[in-house]
Amino acid sequence: MFIIKVKSNYGQHEGGRVILRRPQDPPFEIDPDKGQELIDRGIAVLVSSSSFGDEEEQGPDLRKLKVAELRELATKSGIKNVETMRKDDLIAALEALEADIPTVNPEHGIE
């Protein structure tokens, strides 16, 4: 299972060491039981239930995130003026960023 952190840091035990996993880090593989626990606690989202291999990489299901989590993700992604954006606007901006498509915000122009 691959997850991405959306809140707080996490120390993942790997080979006798603890590796710090932060929200700005790329998705990482984790034991399914531990990954599900982090998802249930609202501090991570599922990226893929299997390894990335030949599978097309998928981001977190943005519709399942709360507005505050979307704003945090958008801010970390470099999107401006997230404080005034609604959930649908945040999702559209994040999806456009993934697709490298410029977005138009009526209040702020092209972003």
Side-chain angles (χ1 to χ4, degrees):
M1 154 183 285
F2 282 81
I3 63 171
I4 188 166
K5 297 285 292 165
V6 292
K7 287 191 225 177
S8 73
N9 295 334
Y10 170 69
Q12 182 181 21
H13 296 272
E14 193 174 284
R17 299 181 330 164
V18 176
I19 298 174
L20 179 64
R21 304 294 187 180
R22 303 167 300 176
Q24 62 267 32
D25 292 340
F28 60 94
E29 190 168 13
I30 191 168
D31 172 75
D33 292 333
K34 187 63 179 175
Q36 190 60 51
E37 178 187 332
L38 295 173
I39 292 166
D40 292 344
R41 290 173 48 200
I43 58 175
V45 292
L46 179 66
V47 175
S48 173
S49 58
S50 61
S51 63
F52 283 106
D54 294 331
E55 214 176 272
E56 188 177 319
E57 186 175 331
Q58 296 179 6
D61 184 352
L62 300 176
R63 295 237 170 255
K64 291 184 179 179
L65 298 179
K66 296 177 181 166
V67 173
E69 294 168 331
L70 289 167
R71 284 188 177 132
E72 183 178 343
L73 190 57
T75 299
K76 288 179 181 177
S77 298
I79 298 171
K80 307 282 185 218
N81 304 310
V82 297
E83 311 81 31
T84 61
M85 297 173 83
R86 293 179 296 167
K87 185 171 185 170
D88 288 339
D89 297 331
L90 289 162
I91 291 170
L94 287 164
E95 287 174 345
L97 186 64
E98 278 183 18
D100 201 24
I101 301 169
T103 59
V104 179
N105 181 326
E107 296 178 24
H108 309 289
I110 295 176
E111 299 177 337

